[in-house]
Amino acid sequence: MSAPTYFGPFSVLARLPQLAVTIEPPFEGFTGAVYHRVVERATDDDAWYLRHAPAPGHLLDLCCGAGRHLRAFAVAGWQVTGVELADGALERAAALRAAAPADVAARTTLHQADARQVRLGHPVDCVLIGGLSFALFDRHDRQALLRTARAHLAPGGTLLFDYSPRQPAVADRQDVLGVPLRGDGGSGFAWIGWRRSDRAGVQHTNIYGELVAPGVATRRYLSTVSIDLLDDDEVTRDLTAARLRVAHTMDLALAAGDGPIPVRMVSCVAVP
């Protein structure tokens, strides 16, 4: 994964004393909960994945995060297995499973493991790498993810994933979204900022939040994560090396303030 990068006001906050601002790992703690709360509003990608999946069988969701894709497939009748390494994301996925109807919960299994190395010991009908998770890793680790996917798929099986395609002619962009927060732990706000450079081939996302409760000092949290903006030809070469053939693609525009983020949805077939 890329080294931490803060920009704009987030870079100032990152330099404050650690007692004032808690720096959190990506997808963990308070900022992880904010991130998952925002992305759980998305539905277009789930609809596309379900349209391009085979008949309901067994789904392996690599980097399942807080489990929103798992929930969509389990509701549609799939037996689903989610693999996630981050403690906070896995806890949220477990809570989502616990709140689901009994039949949906019974079809959902969670594993804490490294998606690059996990082996279930049995084949599945479909592998999913969603939520732009594929681009969180460098190319070597993306190739390992594809090998993991292919190892679980018999010929004819389906891989579904997404990434943000690199567009070198597009100018650099950035934006910040404000999110009001209220819950049992108090009230507050979060800023989610993103800075995208297609020329450099990277997009950084920063999250800062403050939580205030009566009689308790203000708590401040900050995290950052980066994704690679991927070259289409490079992705195709890596898929071919993993014995995966592109069957369908579609481009979506992920709403993100004033400048939508391009997302490419991909369906692949495992070949002999």
Side-chain angles (χ1 to χ4, degrees), residues 78-168:
W78 286 74
Q79 185 76 29
V80 298
T81 299
V83 172
E84 176 57 52
L85 195 56
D87 290 330
L90 199 63
E91 290 171 3
R92 196 170 179 91
L96 193 66
R97 177 181 61 183
D103 60 328
V104 172
R107 290 195 291 269
T108 305
T109 302
L110 299 173
H111 289 295
Q112 186 166 30
D114 188 330
R116 296 165 295 183
Q117 301 173 359
V118 68
R119 294 293 186 271
L120 297 184
H122 60 81
V124 299
D125 304 287
C126 186
V127 175
L128 172 64
I129 311 172
L132 298 179
S133 299
F134 187 63
L136 287 169
F137 300 89
D138 63 23
R139 189 181 184 192
H140 177 267
D141 288 334
R142 290 195 294 269
Q143 291 170 337
L145 275 175
L146 293 176
R147 289 193 296 271
T148 294
R150 184 61 184 84
H152 288 90
L153 292 170
T158 300
L159 167 67
L160 303 169
F161 74 105
D162 60 10
Y163 66 97
S164 192
R166 186 178 183 184
Q167 302 171 322

